[in-house]
Amino acid sequence: SNKYVEEGFAVERPADPTREATVEYTYEFAGWLLNGMPYNFDSAVTDNITLIAKWTSVKNTYTVTFDSNGGTAIDGETKPYGMVFTKPNDPTKEATVEYTFTFAGWLLDGEDYNFETLITGNITLVAKWNEIKNTYTVTFNADGGTTEDSQTVEYGLTFSEPTAPEKQATAEYTFTFAGWLLDGE
């Protein structure tokens, strides 16, 4: 804006202007220039002058946050606009009795994230996990009788009761199968 000053008097220093930040830079006011040099507001004005605002640009930094979705914690990272975030080591996730988990990548808004993408803002990446249903083996111990093959069963499913085993009679005893026990019960 224009200011009128009587010849021979100093111009009053205006309030510092502001400049809207961009996605890449934040701007800080660094003073007024006259013909490329800092202007002294104590100087007497003897002619029309145009003062130009000097700005210092500061490159914006952005942060990636890693949500491991139940896995081990991964530290975030902050880098300047236009760089790329570093792909971290894969997190791990404790198996449950039902599932074993394998890490399957990082998602941004439900899509696979490409770590070659240039940084333009803060993001949160969420771990994607493949769930593998655990299987368990049931082994039948016939306690001296005919043996049955073991069975491998997915967690939560049932297994087939095997054919009743037979045990050879001794001079003292005859054996009749009475059922299967788990831990003596």
Side-chain angles (χ1 to χ4, degrees):
S1 73
N2 292 329
K3 278 206 173 207
Y4 296 99
V5 177
E6 192 175 320
E7 187 175 349
F9 286 90
V11 66
E12 184 180 320
R13 181 183 187 92
D16 289 349
T18 58
R19 184 172 176 183
E20 192 170 323
T22 65
V23 70
E24 186 172 4
Y25 292 104
T26 299
Y27 298 96
E28 296 175 3
F29 178 68
W32 293 102
L33 302 178
L34 176 64
N35 300 323
M37 301 298 293
Y39 183 71
N40 179 354
F41 280 91
D42 294 330
S43 300
V45 176
T46 58
D47 202 356
N48 290 333
I49 61 172
T50 299
L51 299 179
I52 308 290
K54 178 180 179 184
W55 298 98
T56 302
S57 59
V58 178
K59 199 155 219 184
N60 292 331
T61 58
Y62 295 101
T63 300
V64 61
T65 302
F66 295 99
D67 175 353
S68 64
N69 198 12
T72 52
I74 302 292
D75 291 337
E77 178 180 38
T78 300
K79 283 194 172 177
Y81 172 91
M83 301 293 288
V84 294
F85 290 120
T86 305
K87 184 175 190 252
N89 292 333
D90 294 348
T92 58
K93 189 173 182 177
E94 283 288 319
T96 64
V97 291
E98 187 172 3
Y99 292 105
T100 298
F101 301 96
T102 58
F103 179 71
W106 293 103
L107 301 175
L108 176 63
D109 299 327
E111 301 290 326
D112 289 333
Y113 183 73
N114 178 350
F115 280 89
E116 294 176 12
T117 304
L118 298 182
I119 299 167
T120 59
N122 295 324
I123 61 173
T124 296
L125 299 179
V126 179
K128 177 171 66 171
W129 298 98
N130 289 329
E131 297 177 336
I132 302 164
K133 198 120 190 200
N134 291 332
T135 57
Y136 293 94
T137 301
V138 179
T139 304
F140 301 96
N141 178 345
D143 193 26
T146 55
T147 59
E148 290 287 330
D149 292 334
S150 59
Q151 296 178 30
T152 301
V153 183
E154 254 188 26
Y155 175 88
L157 298 179
T158 58
F159 56 92
S160 304
E161 184 175 352
T163 306
E166 295 178 10
K167 188 171 184 178
Q168 193 80 347
T170 65
E172 193 176 342
Y173 295 104
T174 301
F175 299 96
T176 304
F177 179 69
W180 296 101
L181 301 175
L182 175 63
D183 298 326
E185 299 283 324

